[in-house]
Amino acid sequence: MTLNYEEEGEVKIPVDCEGLAKEVIEAALDYAECPYEAEVNLLLTTDEEIHQMNKEHRGIDRPTDVLSFPMVEYEEAGQFDFLEDQYDCFHPETGELLLGDIVISKDRVIAQAEEYGHEIKREYAFLIAHSMLHLFGYDHMEEEERKTMERMQNEILNALNIVR
């Protein structure tokens, strides 16, 4: 698994962000039974930057905690079988599945951890698990989808013993 990690802004999250991201991404890949090695891009940024991205890409004029930009368009969420013939979904040099980009607001991680009464580590890991499910094609527009994603996020984090 390749993680392309980048961090911008002055705010620091008091955990090993890159190391924890790798753990959660690996756990999510294992949970989803992804049959491929994968590549993920992760950017940790500020509320101001994610606000701009949210406005530009989603038409929502406010900051958010996490944005996900999947590179794969799934026929069915979490089903990787059809990718065998989709050569443009794989890195030409490494052969890794190009899953997509995750952008996280460091400001939101810290604020939401306090708001929800759990550790910063848990909030950060949760946002990565949540975003990975989006990179696997899952969504939460309908109530059943939301419940499914919530259950899956908890199972990924529980496997890492990252609990509330």
Side-chain angles (χ1 to χ4, degrees), residues 30-95:
D30 289 346
Y31 179 84
E33 298 180 354
C34 179
Y36 305 104
E37 289 296 315
E39 180 176 321
V40 175
N41 301 313
L42 172 61
L43 170 63
L44 302 185
T45 192
T46 64
D47 263 359
E48 294 79 23
E49 288 297 319
I50 209 166
H51 181 164
Q52 197 59 35
M53 289 180 192
N54 204 22
K55 185 176 179 180
E56 181 180 324
H57 295 283
R58 298 177 63 220
I60 299 174
D61 192 10
R62 62 177 162 74
T64 188
D65 51 6
V66 64
L67 291 171
S68 309
F69 299 99
M71 295 290 288
V72 176
E73 197 167 311
Y74 293 87
E75 296 171 10
E76 185 179 334
Q79 298 299 310
F80 303 96
D81 299 344
F82 77 99
L83 292 171
E84 292 175 10
D85 302 324
Q86 306 293 321
Y87 300 110
D88 60 338
C89 292
F90 295 89
H91 192 287
E93 294 175 18
T94 66

Side-chain angles (χ1 to χ4, degrees), residues 4-157:
N4 298 310
Y5 175 87
E6 187 178 341
E7 187 172 346
E8 57 188 28
E10 300 299 316
V11 173
K12 296 291 181 205
I13 297 175
V15 299
D16 173 11
C17 291
E18 187 172 4
L20 182 56
K22 286 179 181 177
E23 285 181 49
V24 176
I25 291 167
E26 285 284 1
L29 289 165
D30 289 346
Y31 179 84
E33 298 180 354
C34 179
Y36 305 104
E37 289 296 315
E39 180 176 321
V40 175
N41 301 313
L42 172 61
L43 170 63
L44 302 185
T45 192
T46 64
D47 263 359
E48 294 79 23
E49 288 297 319
I50 209 166
H51 181 164
Q52 197 59 35
M53 289 180 192
N54 204 22
K55 185 176 179 180
E56 181 180 324
H57 295 283
R58 298 177 63 220
I60 299 174
D61 192 10
R62 62 177 162 74
T64 188
D65 51 6
V66 64
L67 291 171
S68 309
F69 299 99
M71 295 290 288
V72 176
E73 197 167 311
Y74 293 87
E75 296 171 10
E76 185 179 334
Q79 298 299 310
F80 303 96
D81 299 344
F82 77 99
L83 292 171
E84 292 175 10
D85 302 324
Q86 306 293 321
Y87 300 110
D88 60 338
C89 292
F90 295 89
H91 192 287
E93 294 175 18
T94 66
E96 291 178 315
L97 175 61
L98 299 169
L99 281 175
D101 303 334
I102 300 171
V103 181
I104 294 176
S105 166
K106 296 185 291 183
D107 301 306
R108 295 283 89 221
V109 169
I110 294 166
Q112 288 176 180
E114 185 176 317
E115 180 183 336
Y116 300 138
H118 53 243
E119 293 180 5
I120 289 172
K121 174 182 177 179
R122 197 270 179 199
E123 183 65 20
Y124 177 68
F126 169 83
L127 293 175
I128 293 170
H130 178 87
S131 195
M132 286 299 294
L133 292 174
H134 282 308
L135 298 187
F136 298 149
Y138 291 94
D139 210 341
H140 47 79
M141 300 302 284
E142 305 293 328
E143 182 63 17
E144 275 308 305
E145 293 173 329
R146 185 194 63 74
K147 287 179 182 177
T148 297
M149 277 190 70
E150 190 171 291
R151 175 185 52 78
M152 295 170 81
Q153 291 159 174
N154 287 330
E155 289 173 356
I156 291 166
L157 295 177

